[in-house]
Amino acid sequence: MLRVLYGGSPAASAKSLELILKDSAMSASLPEEHYKIVGVLTNPPATQGRHSDLIPTEVGHYTQIWNEARDDGITILTPEHIREEERAQIADLHPDIFVCFAYGHILGPKFFSLFKYGGINLHPSILPKYRGATPVNQAILNCDQTSGFSLQKMALGIDEGDILYQQETTLTGTETAQSLLNLYALHGGIAITNILRYTARNGELPPSTPQRGESSYCSIIKKEDGRINWKDSAEKIDAQIRAYTPWPGCFTTANGQQLRILKGRDAEKIAYQDSSVPKNTSAVPGTVLEYNKQRGILIQTGNGVLIATELQWQTKKAMDYKSFMNGARNFIGTVLE
């Protein structure tokens, strides 16, 4: 039996974990392909809410649910740092391989020495393009026509490992960072199960190939990156909103009050045959032009019109554009900043 340590924290990683756990249970019927997750490595619980309750990561939470439902004993490790004591705890699990998707920590040679087959990592880009922490966001921001994910052998350099598997996806220009990451969590999770079964059966990882092509890197996202510059084009702001869903979200200021634009599309893309919707005007960028009951709230940008369909005042609930306009009757003509 192949013993697996899984590393990850956010919701998308939990989706992959769910798929892998279910497949690992089915693999027990084929002893030569049997693998089992013996431990999960995830971030520590974080405080949340007014009472500062400690909330586990999505990966930690799902593992707890699995353990209770299946009477399983998967060890959940939540260290702030991985030092000698933490490595000893991992060694006690006798893992053969480390599987990682969005764990968020840099891991060193002493860590990888604990595993017979090293580690494999699910990275949501076609490496070597977009190495780093935010590849899905970067692909959407750049309006790429294709994206995808890679399964790589983990190396000491960030996302520099040899490629075990890659799968390319055609982008439609409607994806959000959340929807695209969830897609890769599903298809990437399936690819991981295939590699784990192969490794259990053959006693080695599948053949890999070095990364080919020019490498590029994506930057860390900051909350302020969500601020909308209305001098940008509608196409660019459309991409920004989708790239920063769900975090950090996109926001602007209306009469001194913060306003989040949760959903919005370039009018040229969704209303190109609708003559009732202006595609561009001479108004100052940021001007709220009109309320179209069929389409949304029309806002002039530096080039083109953005149609906002879901909005949220600071400290208020998110609303569709019709509900929003019921409580914002003087909103038309406002210049957003």
Side-chain angles (χ1 to χ4, degrees):
M1 182 183 71
L2 184 72
R3 298 173 65 84
V4 182
L5 178 70
Y6 184 88
S9 293
S13 186
K15 291 179 184 294
S16 293
L17 174 62
E18 178 183 4
L19 193 153
I20 296 166
L21 280 169
K22 290 178 178 178
D23 184 73
S24 71
M26 291 188 292
S27 76
S29 63
L30 293 171
E32 68 276 12
E33 292 187 358
H34 186 31
Y35 67 90
K36 177 177 174 54
I37 295 182
V38 296
V40 161
L41 187 61
T42 189
N43 284 330
T47 56
Q48 185 174 310
R50 288 189 298 176
H51 302 294
S52 297
D53 296 325
L54 284 174
I55 306 300
T57 66
E58 295 287 347
V59 163
H61 179 61
Y62 184 78
T63 307
Q64 290 173 356
I65 293 173
W66 176 272
N67 279 342
E68 293 169 3
R70 301 293 184 111
D71 195 23
D72 208 340
I74 299 173
T75 300
I76 303 172
L77 302 172
T78 61
E80 285 277 3
H81 306 283
I82 300 177
R83 301 191 175 101
E84 184 175 354
E85 180 181 349
E86 289 75 23
R87 289 194 296 270
Q89 291 176 327
I90 293 170
D92 287 342
L93 300 175
H94 306 290
D96 297 307
I97 190 169
F98 179 59
V99 174
C100 181
F101 177 28
Y103 176 45
H105 291 254
I106 296 175
L107 303 168
K110 291 181 180 179
F111 175 84
F112 289 115
S113 69
L114 301 172
F115 306 93
K116 179 179 179 180
Y117 301 111
I120 61 174
N121 177 53
L122 170 57
H123 183 79
S125 80
I126 300 297
L127 290 168
K129 190 173 186 179
Y130 301 145
R131 291 172 175 169
T134 58
V136 165
N137 314 79
Q138 199 66 53
I140 295 174
L141 285 172
N142 290 350
C143 299
D144 289 352
Q145 295 183 345
T146 60
S147 183
F149 69 87
S150 305
L151 289 182
Q152 58 169 332
K153 294 171 67 175
M154 296 185 75
L156 296 181
I158 296 176
D159 298 324
E160 294 180 2
D162 290 352
I163 300 300
L164 292 161
Y165 179 80
Q166 287 184 322
Q167 184 173 314
E168 192 169 278
T169 302
T170 299
L171 301 183
T172 64
T174 61
E175 297 85 0
T176 65
Q178 186 174 42
S179 68
L180 199 53
L181 202 57
N182 286 340
L183 177 68
Y184 295 156
L186 172 62
H187 292 291
I190 293 171
I192 287 170
T193 66
N194 292 334
I195 287 179
L196 292 176
R197 284 176 177 259
Y198 179 100
T199 305
R201 185 174 61 249
N202 296 282
E204 62 181 359
L205 287 172
S208 61
T209 57
Q211 296 183 24
R212 297 186 178 93
E214 185 176 351
S215 62
S216 61
Y217 294 83
C218 46
S219 58
I220 298 294
I221 295 172
K222 304 181 295 295
K223 187 174 182 179
E224 187 61 26
D225 292 334
R227 178 174 291 280
I228 296 172
N229 181 354
W230 292 104
K231 293 181 181 179
D232 289 337
S233 68
E235 180 183 34
K236 185 173 181 179
I237 296 171
D238 175 339
Q240 182 185 10
I241 292 169
R242 292 184 291 109
Y244 294 151
T245 299
W247 192 89
C250 284
F251 62 93
T252 185
T253 302
N255 298 320
Q257 188 175 356
Q258 187 182 103
L259 175 66
R260 295 168 67 86
I261 309 292
L262 302 178
K263 292 182 182 178
R265 295 299 311 280
D266 180 358
E268 193 67 47
K269 291 183 178 180
I270 65 171
Y272 60 94
Q273 291 181 328
D274 187 347
S275 60
S276 70
V277 176
K279 309 305 185 296
N280 207 6
T281 76
S282 59
V284 173
T287 300
V288 181
L289 299 172
E290 61 179 83
Y291 166 41
N292 185 301
K293 291 185 178 180
Q294 283 70 46
R295 298 291 185 178
I297 300 168
L298 279 55
I299 307 169
Q300 179 63 42
T301 73
N303 182 17
V305 170
L306 184 87
I307 303 178
T309 57
E310 187 174 337
L311 307 92
Q312 181 181 19
W313 290 113
Q314 190 173 24
T315 73
K316 302 294 184 180
K317 292 183 179 180
M319 293 179 280
D320 63 72
Y321 65 93
K322 293 180 181 179
S323 300
F324 178 88
M325 288 303 299
N326 285 337
R329 296 180 181 178
N330 298 322
F331 193 58
I332 305 304
T334 300
V335 179
L336 307 176
E337 298 177 352

